[in-house]
Amino acid sequence: MKFALVSLGLPPSQSGQSLVLYHLLKDLEPDQYCLITQKNFHLYGSQGNGSSHLPGAYHHINPDYQVIRGMLRLASTARSTGILSALLKVRVHQLRRIIRQEQSEAVIACTGDLFDPPAAYQVSRSLDIPYILYAFDHYSHQWMPPLLHAFARKHEEQLIPGAAEVIVPNEFLCREYRRTYGIEATVLHNPCDLSRYQASPEHDRADKEKEVTILYTGAIYEAHYDAFQNLIQALHTLDRPEVRLHIYTPQSESRLRANNISGEYVTYHKNQPIFMMPEIQQKADILFLPLAFNSPYPEIVKTASPGKIGELLAARRPVLVHAPADSFVSWYFKQHSCGLVIDKSDPVELANGIEALIEDRELQQNLSTAAYARAKKDFDDVTIKKRFADLVESRCIR
């Protein structure tokens, strides 16, 4: 069994998608798969703190990632379907050549790029090999400009029903594809290496009386902004100088300040290598998991599965979720009582939640215990790697 995997983000580039793929593929033999991505994307996505390279063969297709972005902007401005069709044809040609050369028996296309899913689907049909869509996010809703959204939706209507398998990271996206296309996707939660988290993290409040740490680790962009702004307002409402937000992110301090994520209660840190995250997370008092209440892509927020969910659950520290009530994130943590959920855009209610997490030891313990139980059940990379390998192998048997 050999498959080709097509993804904009691949290890070692810095993204949740890259890290998921690293976990899924790292133990496979190099001759079982090949990897295909855009030329030079890794230069823009890696800051030296992503995962390691995978041992399988990498293929980089043209044109450069930044050129594609420019062409998409041009197509949107000019409302040119011709540009999109031409770029898709180029992608199909390159993928077909590589997949033939590698003698792949199936192709897996990941969301994140406009052309990868439909191009890989067309190649699978022409080569008569199985096609698997790995939908890390809702494919058509990732593209907001009307022309790009219409292009993605048109192809989505073919490639989802025509796929041998659709993989999604959560129950909400599974439900959405069932409702829209009548297919039953396979849910594989984003895997986490639980072995990197201590069974009993040292956390003695007596040694930290001068500070209560609310921790966020990960990217910050439009899908998070107003949730962070609410948190900062909540900290001002609390008016407790010892309670501080610590942020580890690849985004620049200037960009965060420009979006009002700043102030006397905020401490910025340079992003750290992934192997350091477990220790940093397990030393925190509260782990923050935000999603925006008003963003340019509310449909994406509803079905989003942040790659860090498994990490936060595994850290055995209380998780504070601040996300819309109709999002998967809010539903999951409420459903399993594994985090404190504030699902209204209300800084006062958020402040009350922080106060409860600081003062109520029983609440802290209950949430932490439930969180680790869910990490083992839904996010253990050992289990998910096996499910992924078994699924791909079963789809390759004709």
Side-chain angles (χ1 to χ4, degrees), residues 98-123:
I98 295 168
I99 292 170
R100 273 179 170 167
Q101 172 189 324
E102 289 283 351
Q103 298 182 331
S104 299
E105 301 167 68
V107 57
I108 302 172
C110 301
T111 54
D113 177 78
L114 181 62
F115 301 110
D116 284 344
Y121 178 69
Q122 291 186 25
V123 171

Side-chain angles (χ1 to χ4, degrees), residues 300-343:
I300 289 291
V301 167
K302 287 180 185 178
T303 58
S305 276
K308 67 180 72 66
I309 290 180
E311 299 176 13
L312 302 186
L313 294 170
R316 305 175 201 247
R317 303 302 307 137
V319 180
L320 174 61
V321 176
H322 189 39
D326 61 355
S327 67
F328 162 73
V329 167
S330 285
W331 170 84
Y332 185 90
F333 281 83
K334 275 187 172 180
Q335 177 77 9
H336 301 296
S337 301
C338 55
L340 181 63
V341 179
I342 307 297
D343 59 12

Side-chain angles (χ1 to χ4, degrees), residues 313 317-319 333 337-340 357 362-372:
L313 294 170
R317 303 302 307 137
V319 180
F333 281 83
S337 301
C338 55
L340 181 63
L357 287 177
E362 183 178 359
L363 176 63
Q364 295 171 18
Q365 185 60 49
N366 290 343
L367 292 179
S368 300
T369 300
Y372 190 71

Side-chain angles (χ1 to χ4, degrees), residues 20 47 50 62 100 106 109 114 142 153 205-207 219 234 274 298 307 314 322 354 357 370 389:
V20 168
Q47 298 186 13
N62 293 308
R100 273 179 170 167
L114 181 62
Q142 285 186 289
R153 184 58 188 264
R205 279 249 38 89
D207 294 335
I274 59 170
H322 189 39
I354 294 169
L357 287 177

Side-chain angles (χ1 to χ4, degrees), residues 29 39 62 87 128 165 185 191 215 234 250 292 326:
E29 295 297 325
K39 183 180 178 182
N62 293 308
L87 289 171
D128 191 28
E165 185 67 60
L215 177 70
D326 61 355

Side-chain angles (χ1 to χ4, degrees), residues 9-52:
L10 288 174
S13 65
Q14 182 179 287
S15 71
Q17 184 164 317
S18 297
L19 188 56
V20 168
L21 294 173
Y22 175 75
H23 283 303
L24 293 177
L25 304 177
K26 64 183 179 180
D27 293 332
L28 294 182
E29 295 297 325
D31 60 358
Q32 289 184 280
Y33 64 94
C34 68
L35 304 167
I36 307 173
T37 191
Q38 288 177 37
K39 183 180 178 182
N40 285 341
F41 175 73
H42 65 286
L43 298 179
Y44 310 108
S46 179
Q47 298 186 13
N49 49 7
S51 61
S52 303

